[in-house]
Amino acid sequence: MTAAIEPGVAPAAQESAKLQRHFGRFDILFFLICTIVGVDTIASVAGAGGEAFTWMVVLAVVFFVPQALLFAELGSAFPQEGGPYLWTRMAFGHLAGAINNFLYWVTNPVWLGGTLAISAVAALQVFFNGGDSFSTPAVLVISIVFIWIAVLAAVLSFRIGKWITTVGAFARFLLLGLFTVSVIVYAMDHGVHGLGASSFSPTTGGFVALVGVLLFNYVGFELPSAAGEEMRDPKRDVPFAIVRSAIASFLLYAVPILGILLVLPADKVTNFGGLVDAMKSVFTVYGGSVAADGTATLSGLGQLLGDLGAVLFVLCVLTSGVTWIMGSDRALAVSGYDGAAPRFLGVLNARLGTPVRVNVFSGIVSTLVLVLAQVITQGSAAKFFGAVLGVTISTTLISYLLIYPALWKLRRTMPDAQRPYRMPFHRPLTVLLMVLLAFTVIQLIAPGAPFAWFGADYRPDGWKASEAGLYLATELIPVLVFIGVGVLFWALGAPTRRANAAAAPAAVEEPGAVLAD
């Protein structure tokens, strides 16, 4: 069934009338913490050793902070529904908006069905299955339940859904706080590895290996603005929430990464289960032991806290998926009723005010990604993790290549738009962000280029030197297909663009209005 276009009524006005304002200042803050702090990638950073912390601090200064400043301006100056999609479309047109928004959206069902679901399974295996792997059918059942709980949470009205993200933020405080305290107790009992100053020295190889995952950890400030018309006072609340979430998010990353580096040797930290392994090791101070080979066994209070930690970990990765699905699905729905995607997708539920059709679409794509990945990798969870994480990061970061310069363009084309906050030094900082992004995208698609493409220091875990072409195809072909789908969505959105233009010709002169090209 397709969505009807009512004669004389702009589809954009028809759908935006269904939106409900339930998103307050602290709701945005907790939403951002859930968005930015992803516990599934903490071990990917810690696995690189002491220099990982150094590069994390450097990129916090040259990337994380400038990006926060940029989105504080865009989110408060243009608070319409659809945020990142709408900024790109207003700056560069419907075709660019359609392509970019599909890249932005498709990341999230891939991430939910791959990285996040598998991370949740890993935690459950370690703490509730004695560290033994679940059977493939059990992995599929657990992961599918995980995916559709996230979808159901995204379907709910923000009046209810915002409490899920609030719980997710406090789960991060509790999990990472408990882990940090346990690391201190563990260090008092067992000592620390005592990383020397040389281990924190930055290297080119370390930067190339880390820049993708670090930038991925640091993006997401724009996501609440996808629900801009559901905020109570975005012009005041967006800058407030971004500043405070930036500080909290950096600390929530920095402290546990240092903890892992202190507790586990770098060569024992894996992308797949490093944080979970570290949790199990440090919780032995409450009951349990660590064998000579590093295997941890919990008992008594240690086992109880370990089980609690596993539940909190699963809740953290679940709410990461929920926030990104909530935001990106709204952006895709807005593009549907704005004329940059099929009108069928641009429908909001009249009672809930949420994009139920897109939410279900995301769930289906996530489930397909999960099943196909399990079949293709034949149970090789670690290699699957790395491949999915790579394509996820690349599609996310590619989309920012147009979102960031939208600020520069809109400063020039809409100078009279009210800007409660203005980004300082926007030209050089935008260029800096773009250069970092472009370099990172190249490294994610062709690791090591131009230094030593797919060399031993650069290629992802589980891949052989002879598989360079296969890996390049694995990363590049999906991106090209996604761009093609974006073009198709733009073509299918033509009738909606015409309907919006015919129904609201006066909107052409309104700054920030939803217009047809």
Side-chain angles (χ1 to χ4, degrees):
M1 183 178 73
T2 58
I5 297 178
E6 299 179 17
V9 180
Q14 182 181 333
E15 297 302 328
S16 62
K18 302 173 184 176
L19 296 170
Q20 305 167 11
R21 293 189 183 274
H22 295 298
F23 217 14
R25 173 174 291 193
F26 285 96
D27 303 324
I28 300 170
L29 172 61
F30 296 138
F31 188 96
L32 275 170
I33 290 173
C34 273
T35 298
I36 297 171
V37 182
V39 297
D40 57 302
T41 57
I42 285 176
S44 300
V45 179
E51 73 169 308
F53 187 79
T54 302
W55 284 122
M56 185 179 69
V57 173
V58 170
L59 288 173
V61 174
V62 301
F63 182 83
F64 195 46
V65 172
Q67 183 197 200
L69 299 175
L70 184 147
F71 286 124
E73 175 173 334
L74 283 176
S76 58
F78 303 100
Q80 294 88 350
E81 194 80 0
Y85 157 72
L86 196 65
W87 305 329
T88 305
R89 199 275 288 152
M90 288 192 298
F92 306 111
H94 278 90
L95 178 57
I99 294 171
N100 212 56
N101 198 48
F102 188 80
L103 287 168
Y104 185 81
W105 170 81
V106 76
T107 285
N108 299 293
V110 171
W111 188 42
L112 178 64
T115 299
L116 296 182
I118 295 302
S119 294
V121 169
L124 295 176
Q125 286 176 170
V126 168
F127 288 101
F128 294 105
N129 200 46
D132 297 328
S133 298
F134 292 128
S135 65
T136 298
V139 170
L140 289 173
V141 169
I142 294 169
S143 299
I144 289 172
V145 170
F146 178 92
I147 289 168
W148 287 96
I149 288 175
V151 170
L152 177 60
V155 164
L156 297 173
S157 165
F158 254 136
R159 181 174 61 85
I160 300 172
K162 66 183 183 180
W163 292 108
I164 297 173
T165 59
T166 299
V167 169
F170 279 92
R172 285 160 173 76
F173 299 148
L174 184 56
L175 174 66
L176 299 177
L178 174 63
F179 177 73
T180 301
V181 171
S182 300
V183 165
I184 295 172
V185 176
Y186 187 93
M188 291 172 64
D189 284 355
H190 302 279
V192 296
H193 289 285
L195 292 176
S198 61
S199 66
F200 289 87
S201 299
T203 64
T204 301
F207 177 76
V208 172
L210 287 163
V211 66
V213 71
L214 285 174
L215 263 60
F216 180 63
N217 285 349
Y218 281 161
V219 298
F221 285 118
E222 79 293 340
L223 196 65
S225 293
E229 292 176 45
E230 297 169 76
M231 296 178 182
R232 295 195 182 109
D233 189 0
K235 290 185 177 293
R236 295 183 59 186
D237 294 346
V238 167
F240 170 92
I242 284 179
V243 169
R244 285 153 181 80
S245 66
I247 296 170
S249 298
F250 177 77
L251 292 175
L252 288 170
Y253 273 129
V255 173
I257 286 173
L258 276 178
I260 291 175
L261 293 173
L262 291 173
V263 173
L264 292 180
D267 61 356
K268 292 186 179 297
V269 178
T270 66
N271 286 356
F272 187 52
L275 179 59
V276 174
D277 292 339
M279 287 165 51
K280 191 169 185 180
S281 294
V282 298
F283 288 163
T284 57
V285 298
Y286 307 112
S289 60
V290 179
D293 63 357
T295 302
T297 304
L298 296 175
S299 61
L301 180 59
Q303 182 65 57
L304 180 63
L305 290 176
D307 293 347
L308 173 62
V311 171
L312 290 172
F313 182 91
V314 172
L315 186 57
C316 288
V317 294
L318 176 65
T319 51
S320 286
V322 169
T323 53
W324 279 95
I325 290 294
M326 281 180 171
S328 64
D329 281 5
R330 279 168 166 77
L332 184 58
V334 170
S335 72
Y337 64 68
D338 184 45
R343 178 70 177 94
F344 173 83
L345 294 175
V347 175
L348 303 180
N349 183 276
R351 182 171 63 87
L352 300 172
T354 56
V356 176
R357 292 184 183 182
V358 182
N359 295 151
V360 173
F361 185 30
S362 290
I364 293 171
V365 172
S366 291
T367 305
L368 289 174
V369 168
L370 169 74
V371 173
L372 287 173
Q374 287 296 310
V375 172
I376 291 171
T377 59
Q378 299 178 343
S380 178
K383 188 172 182 178
F384 164 54
F385 183 99
V388 172
L389 185 60
V391 73
T392 296
I393 295 173
S394 62
T395 52
T396 301
L397 297 184
I398 289 171
S399 71
Y400 288 99
L401 289 171
L402 284 182
I403 297 174
Y404 291 158
L407 177 135
W408 194 337
K409 180 70 178 295
L410 293 174
R411 280 271 191 104
R412 185 162 54 85
T413 58
M414 294 185 176
D416 297 329
Q418 183 185 5
R419 289 172 168 82
Y421 171 82
R422 295 176 70 90
M423 178 187 186
F425 309 108
H426 73 283
R427 289 186 177 89
L429 290 180
T430 302
V431 171
L432 176 62
L433 289 172
M434 295 289 291
V435 169
L436 285 169
L437 272 177
F439 177 80
T440 302
V441 169
I442 291 171
Q443 296 309 313
L444 291 164
I445 294 176
F451 309 107
W453 178 37
F454 228 63
D457 293 335
Y458 302 104
R459 63 176 174 267
D461 293 340
W463 292 84
K464 302 174 183 177
S466 60
E467 296 177 313
L470 175 62
Y471 185 84
L472 179 64
T474 300
E475 300 296 289
L476 188 58
I477 291 176
V479 172
L480 295 176
V481 170
F482 297 156
I483 291 172
V485 173
V487 174
L488 175 62
F489 273 23
W490 169 79
L492 294 174
T496 307
R497 294 196 296 276
R498 290 193 293 267
N500 279 324
V508 173
E509 298 180 1
E510 180 183 344
V514 178
L515 311 175
D517 287 337

